[in-house]
Amino acid sequence: MGRLLEVKGLITRFYTQDGVVHAVNGVSFHVDEGETLGIVGESGCGKSVTVLSCMRLIPQPPGKIVAGEVLFNGRDLLKVSEDEIRQVRGNKIAMIFQDPMTSLNPVLTIEQQISEALELHLGMTGEQARRRSIELLEMVGIPEAERRIDDYPHQFSGGMRQRAMIAMALSCNPQLLIADEPTTFLDVTIQAQIIDIVKRLKDELGMTVIWITHNLGIVAGLADRVIVMYAGYLIEEAPVKDLYGDPRHPYTLGLLGSVPRLDEARRERLISIDGLPPDQIDMPPGCPFAPRCVYVIDRCLEENPSLRTVAPHHRIACWVDVRK
């Protein structure tokens, strides 16, 4: 498996009236071909901003990518021209967003929206694009696709709109699919269907997937590897089995402790993480998680740890070994 995407030292800031928001702080990670990477963390931790920075979709101003490299197939996406990045977006890298109602154009039919990418990137005629659009809707499980393709987004249910978004994302056979919390607004049964669709299509089409979520339960059955983010920093990275079986960062322990479990091993109460994430305008020195951490030592308040390896392919940014 070759390396498809490599992000090195990514820093993104937002320059607001209140001050500079340190949204992404030197994040580095990679995704191999055919792999599913989960990016986990609570709201506002920088997950979405990280991938939007990779695709250069940050509104500038107020946002600015201050430093870093985003190597996709060996080419730095932060250095290519606007025309070149447009050729990558939707074609080589596709994205499914959180709320399909705001991502789909309300005044265009579903067919017009899927066909647009096919005609633009693959040079299809209108008739070819229509046929392919129907195939794509069938692929993501929309019944009577031939009839429904002429509907507008408001005529679709939430789950069907999200399926249409997946069909749109897959229209040009992207190498990398980025799913940004695509099941957040859906009920649990529809969530499970959407996840199954992505898993099935990933296997059928040999895609690489980055799945962003705050829900650790979703990632368990979906990802090969997981990175955990907090306050714009990458704080833990591990294969999925190691992250759940042997979490080593206090924040990850807290996240896992707050997830309901169905197995018999647990009868104790769920735990919650006290306090709030730090203000990313006025970041305190030291580890950003220190004020909420039960393992805190003096060094945590003075110096922010960098990632260190604690097991094969398992890295954490923490001064304390929670296993002791």
Side-chain angles (χ1 to χ4, degrees):
M1 281 196 309
R3 191 146 291 184
L4 184 65
L5 181 77
E6 185 157 21
V7 177
K8 298 179 180 177
L10 184 68
I11 299 175
T12 303
R13 304 269 184 266
F14 287 92
Y15 296 87
T16 70
Q17 287 178 322
D18 298 328
V20 181
V21 180
H22 296 70
V24 179
N25 302 305
V27 166
S28 300
F29 64 91
H30 69 273
V31 195
D32 291 332
E33 286 175 24
E35 183 180 41
T36 299
L37 177 73
I39 302 182
V40 178
E42 61 199 287
S43 297
C45 73
K47 311 182 295 288
S48 298
V49 177
T50 297
V51 293
L52 289 170
S53 299
C54 292
M55 294 179 75
R56 283 189 19 205
L57 287 172
I58 295 293
Q60 302 190 29
K64 189 177 181 203
I65 299 164
V66 177
E69 287 179 274
V70 177
L71 302 172
F72 179 69
N73 283 326
R75 191 167 61 145
D76 189 354
L77 297 183
L78 302 184
K79 292 206 169 68
V80 300
S81 69
E82 276 299 324
D83 284 344
E84 285 176 286
I85 193 77
R86 268 193 220 105
Q87 283 303 313
V88 171
R89 283 190 213 125
N91 189 11
K92 299 274 196 298
I93 304 177
M95 196 156 175
I96 316 168
F97 293 94
Q98 199 167 34
D99 180 8
M101 204 57 208
T102 54
S103 311
L104 293 166
N105 189 328
V107 298
L108 297 178
T109 65
I110 298 295
E111 191 254 335
Q112 286 171 304
Q113 299 190 54
I114 301 176
S115 292
E116 184 184 25
L118 294 167
E119 290 171 30
L120 178 72
H121 289 303
L122 303 184
M124 287 188 180
T125 64
E127 186 50 41
Q128 287 172 324
R130 183 181 172 83
R131 277 204 306 274
R132 176 72 178 137
S133 300
I134 293 167
E135 275 172 28
L136 286 159
L137 288 190
E138 285 169 347
M139 201 158 86
V140 296
I142 288 184
E144 298 181 56
E146 203 158 341
R147 185 174 66 77
R148 300 302 308 259
I149 197 149
D150 294 314
D151 285 352
Y152 290 89
H154 71 269
Q155 294 170 281
F156 275 32
S157 68
M160 282 173 69
R161 282 199 292 267
Q162 200 53 285
R163 284 163 195 247
M165 279 291 297
I166 294 169
M168 231 159 109
L170 298 178
S171 59
C172 296
N173 299 323
Q175 288 175 278
L176 175 62
L177 178 70
I178 299 173
D180 186 2
E181 305 223 21
T183 58
T184 301
F185 295 116
L186 305 174
D187 61 49
V188 179
T189 48
I190 306 294
Q191 271 193 24
Q193 288 172 17
I194 297 291
I195 291 163
D196 282 345
I197 286 168
V198 173
K199 276 165 86 169
R200 190 189 84 232
L201 294 174
K202 173 194 179 297
D203 293 339
E204 282 175 19
L205 307 172
M207 268 185 324
T208 305
V209 178
I210 295 177
W211 191 288
I212 299 166
T213 182
H214 59 269
N215 184 338
L216 276 160
I218 285 176
V219 170
L222 191 68
D224 302 306
R225 215 158 37 85
V226 184
I227 59 178
V228 182
M229 287 187 70
Y230 184 80
Y233 290 94
L234 198 162
I235 58 160
E236 183 155 15
E237 175 186 16
V240 69
K241 285 195 177 93
D242 296 354
L243 191 91
Y244 286 82
D246 185 22
R248 302 288 286 273
H249 194 286
Y251 176 62
T252 314
L253 279 170
L255 280 181
L256 287 167
S258 63
V259 175
R261 293 276 293 270
L262 295 175
D263 55 15
E264 287 299 304
R266 280 187 59 140
R267 291 290 170 121
E268 33 333 337
R269 288 173 63 119
L270 294 174
I271 59 168
S272 63
I273 303 171
D274 290 336
L276 294 167
D279 179 353
Q280 282 172 248
I281 289 176
D282 186 22
M283 293 282 275
C287 171
F289 187 61
R292 305 172 73 186
C293 183
V294 292
Y295 298 91
V296 66
I297 57 174
D298 289 346
R299 190 177 184 183
C300 304
L301 301 169
E302 294 153 14
E303 204 180 333
N304 192 7
S306 51
L307 285 164
R308 63 186 172 96
T309 303
V310 290
H313 312 295
H314 194 156
R315 300 188 301 160
I316 60 167
C318 185
W319 296 120
V320 182
D321 187 346
V322 296
R323 292 167 105 194
K324 286 183 179 169

